[in-house]
């Protein structure tokens, strides 16, 4: 991926000073404005290329749509539920988090709540402060030998497992992404939720909040648990259904809960907070000096690395970009965009597009199918009315436009550098093109069954036309170009000139009016790459 220019960044919340220092040391101008209301943020954001937030700033669609220059939203922390990721993606804005910045702090707080639930530590402390000495009231239970269910086996879930295993707990877990053999290597037996619920003495959740995880612990799942199960949520409010949790606490089905997060923060409904079997914190998972320093530093370093074209870490809405920082990948992206642009130009009178088939061929393109697809679509949809495609938003833009996109990869047929083949359907017509990278330059090998004798370099001003081969064709086209004061710089003809075939002419400048070619050719297109 070509480096993204970030010259100005707005920090809208309190982050570690190292964040500002690192950005400024790398030539980025930084403004810090905290506690802005929504209208104030909307008025302010239009002047910035980047925005750094923690969890309090709500980066809504209204804010994003007001940000005419915004290229990146950096979340100094893990979750991004305070950012409208869909709206950012649609505008081609990268949403980045710091995936490991608060891992240890969140894991340690989880362990603290598990231990507090087992021994009633906060309640006992408050009783002592009230002047009481009640040893019997706060009878607890050992963690040793108990079963801990960990729902979400990512970085935090893994750290919780290793710590609680040191207390002699048996750790089981569920995660739809982490392979069972991976979690088994750190002592967690992975299993379906239906099998996990009945075994647990304690349950802790470490998933993002999304439709599939909202209300994951609800009336139905509580009913499947052991009576008196204790639960902890240091992830996101809403993963545990708060109303269901309250009912489970009242009935004794749940023996206690440790909550660091709530659906509404701060919670106006105090029933859970005030319940005697609930230990609650005001969202302290990342509230350690170390985590804040790490998250502030990490988000700044990640932005700087992206700007310098080194790598991309933590891009939650643009994983395809992570593998686009090598010189080879950048050349392939240019190839994809150029092929897309050629097909857009040649099919200009046949729009709208209905289907795009992208086929990559050769070992060097095996891992590039994702970003090659995006690159082709960028070239194909660029300059469309109201459309500003980039590698981040172009797949969703194509979907919104009703374009069916298919991508496949096949083994090499002998092409050393790999080949990208694209076929589009537009208004009942089909156009095809294939190209590769030769000597670091993208070249066109074929256009709608016209295989060029010499590959066409996809740079500069190019004129494509379709015509029947004749001895007078080249001289007639050259004469017309001369009349228009356009110089012919190169000429590429297909190897097989049977029937109507495509030709390509490199020209000094584009024709003012393509219709001048109509008496000589069947179709014509021109573009600058």
């Amino acid at each position: 991926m070509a480096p993204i220019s970030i010259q100005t960044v707005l920090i809208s919340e309190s982050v570690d000073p190292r964040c500002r220092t690192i950005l400024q040391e790398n030539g980025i101008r930084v403004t810090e404005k905290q506690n802005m209301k929504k209208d104030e943020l909307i008025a302010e954001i239009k002047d910035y290329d980047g925005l750094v937030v923690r969890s309090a700033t709500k980066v809504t669609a209204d804010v994003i749509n007001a940000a005419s220059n915004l290229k990146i939203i950096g979340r100094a922390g893990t979750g991004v539920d305070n950012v409208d990721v869909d709206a950012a993606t649609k505008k081609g804005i990268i949403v980045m988090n710091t995936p490991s910045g608060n891992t240890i702090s969140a894991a340690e707080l989880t362990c603290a709540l598990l231990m507090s639930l087992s021994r009633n530590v906060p309640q006992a402390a408050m009783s002592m402060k009230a002047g009481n000495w009640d040893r019997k009231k706060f009878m607890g239970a050992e963690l040793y030998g108990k079963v801990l269910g960990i729902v979400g086996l990512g970085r935090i879930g893994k750290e919780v497992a290793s710590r609680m295993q040191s207390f002699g707990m048996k750790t089981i877990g569920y995660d739809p992404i982490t392979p069972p053999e991976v979690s088994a290597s750190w002592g967690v037996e992975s299993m379906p939720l239906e099998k996990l619920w009945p075994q647990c003495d304690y349950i802790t959740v470490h998933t993002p909040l999304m439709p599939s995880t909202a209300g994951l612990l609800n009336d139905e799942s509580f009913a499947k648990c052991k009576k008196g199960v204790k639960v902890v949520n240091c992830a996101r409010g809403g993963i545990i259904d708060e109303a269901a949790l309250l009912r489970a606490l009242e009935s004794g089905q749940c023996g206690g809960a440790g909550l660091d997060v709530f659906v509404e923060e701060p919670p106006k409904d105090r029933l859970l907070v005030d319940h005697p079997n609930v230990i609650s914190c005001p969202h302290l998972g990342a509230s350690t000096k170390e985590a804040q320093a790490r998250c502030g530093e990490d988000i700044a370093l990640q932005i700087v690395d992206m700007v310098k074209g080194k790598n991309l870490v933590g891009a939650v809405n643009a994983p395809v970009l992570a593998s686009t920082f090598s010189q080879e990948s950048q050349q392939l992206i240019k190839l994809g965009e150029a092929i897309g642009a050629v097909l857009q130009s040649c099919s200009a009178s046949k729009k709208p597009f209905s289907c795009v088939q992208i086929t990559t061929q050769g070992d060097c393109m095996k891992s590039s199918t994702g970003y090659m697809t995006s690159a082709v679509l960028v070239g194909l949809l660029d300059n469309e009315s109201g459309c500003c495609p980039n590698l981040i938003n172009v797949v969703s833009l194509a979907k919104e436009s009703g374009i069916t996109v298919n991508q496949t990869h096949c083994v090499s047929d002998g092409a050393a550098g790999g080949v990208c083949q694209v076929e589009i359907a537009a208004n009942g017509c089909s156009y095809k093109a294939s190209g590769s990278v030769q000597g670091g330059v993208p070249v066109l090998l074929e256009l709608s069954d016209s295989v060029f004798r010499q590959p066409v370099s996809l740079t500069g001003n190019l004129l494509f036309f379709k015509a029947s081969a004749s001895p007078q064709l080249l001289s007639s086209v050259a004469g017309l170009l001369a009349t228009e004061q356009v110089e012919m710089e190169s000429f590429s003809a297909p190897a097989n000139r049977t029937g109507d075939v495509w030709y390509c002419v490199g020209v000094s400048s584009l024709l003012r009016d393509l219709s001048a070619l109509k008496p000589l050719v069947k179709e014509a297109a021109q573009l600058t790459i």
Side-chain angles (χ1 to χ4, degrees):
M1 184 182 78
I4 295 175
S5 175
I6 303 291
Q7 297 180 3
T8 55
V9 166
L10 172 66
I11 299 176
S12 65
E13 294 180 59
S14 176
V15 298
D16 189 84
R18 282 285 294 155
C19 179
R20 180 182 188 127
T21 301
I22 291 169
L23 293 173
Q24 289 178 331
E25 286 175 350
N26 287 274
I28 298 172
R29 298 191 300 277
V30 179
T31 301
E32 292 188 71
K33 289 192 176 183
Q34 299 177 23
N35 303 316
M36 281 186 288
K37 295 178 181 178
K38 180 180 177 180
D39 291 344
E40 293 172 326
L41 181 58
I42 287 174
E44 184 75 22
I45 194 62
K46 65 181 185 298
D47 298 324
Y48 296 92
D49 301 317
L51 172 65
V52 172
V53 302
R54 286 180 60 193
S55 57
T57 302
K58 306 303 179 187
V59 190
T60 62
D62 291 339
V63 173
I64 289 167
N65 290 331
S68 52
N69 297 325
L70 201 62
K71 301 177 183 71
I72 184 164
I73 299 167
R75 160 76 165 98
T78 304
V80 291
D81 38 292
N82 58 316
V83 179
D84 190 327
V85 178
D86 289 339
T89 302
K90 189 173 181 180
K91 282 203 71 174
I93 299 168
I94 295 173
V95 178
M96 176 187 288
N97 68 353
T98 52
S100 59
N102 62 4
T103 297
I104 299 300
S105 294
E108 288 181 352
L109 181 61
T110 300
C111 297
L113 289 176
L114 287 167
M115 288 183 278
S116 295
L117 283 172
S118 73
R119 300 302 296 270
N120 303 303
V121 176
Q123 296 94 325
M126 292 303 294
S127 177
M128 286 286 288
K129 288 181 183 297
N132 302 318
W133 182 268
D134 197 341
R135 298 178 67 189
K136 293 182 180 180
K137 182 178 181 181
F138 301 113
M139 180 66 66
E142 291 183 349
L143 292 172
Y144 182 83
K146 302 301 191 299
V147 177
L148 172 63
I150 304 172
V151 181
L153 298 171
R155 285 175 296 271
I156 297 172
K158 177 183 177 182
E159 296 296 336
V160 169
S162 69
R163 283 155 178 75
M164 299 318 294
Q165 286 161 10
S166 68
F167 282 81
M169 297 193 84
K170 177 185 176 182
T171 50
I172 62 177
Y174 166 77
D175 193 297
I177 299 173
T178 303
E181 59 272 17
V182 172
S183 59
S185 70
W186 19 277
V188 179
E189 181 187 356
S190 185
M191 60 186 67
L193 288 172
E194 296 300 307
K195 186 178 176 183
L196 178 141
W197 300 132
Q199 298 188 48
C200 298
D201 299 297
Y202 295 82
I203 296 170
T204 178
V205 294
H206 300 285
T207 71
L209 179 63
M210 55 182 69
S212 61
T213 62
L216 198 61
L217 262 169
N218 51 36
D219 288 315
E220 184 179 351
S221 46
F222 272 120
K224 296 173 182 176
C225 294
K226 288 182 180 180
K227 188 171 182 64
V229 66
K230 295 178 172 66
V231 299
V232 171
N233 185 4
C234 288
R236 281 291 179 268
I239 297 171
I240 298 177
D241 183 321
E242 292 180 353
L245 173 58
L246 185 62
R247 287 189 288 270
L249 287 163
E250 292 294 335
S251 70
Q253 183 63 21
C254 177
L259 303 176
D260 185 46
V261 291
F262 298 86
V263 172
E264 182 182 37
E265 295 184 356
K268 292 178 182 177
D269 186 336
R270 305 285 297 181
L271 290 175
L272 274 177
V273 174
D274 294 338
H275 195 282
N277 292 336
V278 171
I279 301 168
S280 57
C281 301
H283 203 147
L284 299 178
S287 295
T288 64
K289 294 177 182 178
E290 293 85 355
Q292 290 312 302
R294 202 178 294 124
C295 288
E297 186 170 332
D298 283 357
I299 196 65
L301 290 172
Q302 288 170 207
I303 291 172
V304 169
D305 283 348
M306 181 197 69
V307 169
K308 292 185 174 180
K310 289 183 178 180
N311 58 29
L312 185 64
V313 175
V316 298
N317 66 334
V320 70
L321 297 183
S323 56
T324 63
F325 283 82
S326 68
Q327 183 179 5
E328 180 184 63
S329 65
Q330 291 178 34
Q331 292 170 352
L332 290 174
I333 288 169
K334 289 180 180 177
L335 170 66
E337 291 178 349
I339 291 175
V342 168
L343 289 173
Q344 183 204 59
S345 181
C346 291
S347 61
S349 62
K350 305 294 193 300
K351 295 174 186 177
F353 306 119
S354 57
C355 183
V356 181
Q357 171 66 50
I358 299 159
T359 305
T360 51
Q361 193 173 5
D363 292 342
C364 72
M365 287 197 175
K366 193 172 184 179
S367 61
S368 67
T369 305
Y371 64 76
M372 283 300 293
T373 296
S374 296
V376 169
L377 292 173
V378 167
L380 201 60
L381 298 180
D382 197 20
N383 300 319
E384 291 290 288
S385 177
C387 191
C388 299
N390 61 22
L391 295 178
I392 302 159
N393 64 6
V394 72
V395 173
S396 60
L397 289 176
K399 187 176 180 180
E400 286 180 9
S401 300
I403 301 172
T404 301
V405 180
N406 298 308
Q407 57 188 54
T408 57
H409 178 79
C410 58
V411 296
S412 176
D413 63 350
V419 173
C420 177
Q421 301 173 328
V422 182
E423 181 172 4
I424 64 169
N427 206 13
C429 298
S430 174
Y431 291 84
K432 296 184 292 184
S434 67
S436 66
V437 175
Q438 297 182 6
V441 177
V443 297
L444 185 68
L445 305 174
E446 177 183 356
L447 180 58
S448 291
D449 297 322
S450 297
V451 180
F452 293 102
R453 183 179 286 113
Q454 293 294 327
V456 176
S457 177
L458 290 171
T459 57
N461 301 310
L462 300 176
L463 171 65
F464 291 92
F465 60 86
K466 185 178 183 181
S468 299
S470 72
Q472 295 80 31
L473 179 62
L474 179 57
S475 58
S476 299
V477 171
L480 186 145
L481 293 175
T483 302
E484 298 289 324
Q485 296 183 323
V486 175
E487 296 178 14
M488 182 184 292
E489 297 178 344
S490 64
F491 178 73
S492 300
N496 185 345
R497 303 189 191 182
T498 304
D500 293 332
V501 293
W502 283 94
Y503 298 82
C504 179
V505 178
V507 291
S508 58
S509 61
L510 300 183
L511 285 168
R512 285 171 293 183
D513 185 4
L514 264 182
S515 63
L517 279 172
K518 276 188 177 179
L520 305 176
V521 304
K522 302 289 179 63
E523 295 182 50
Q526 60 180 351
L527 73 158
T528 300
I529 300 176

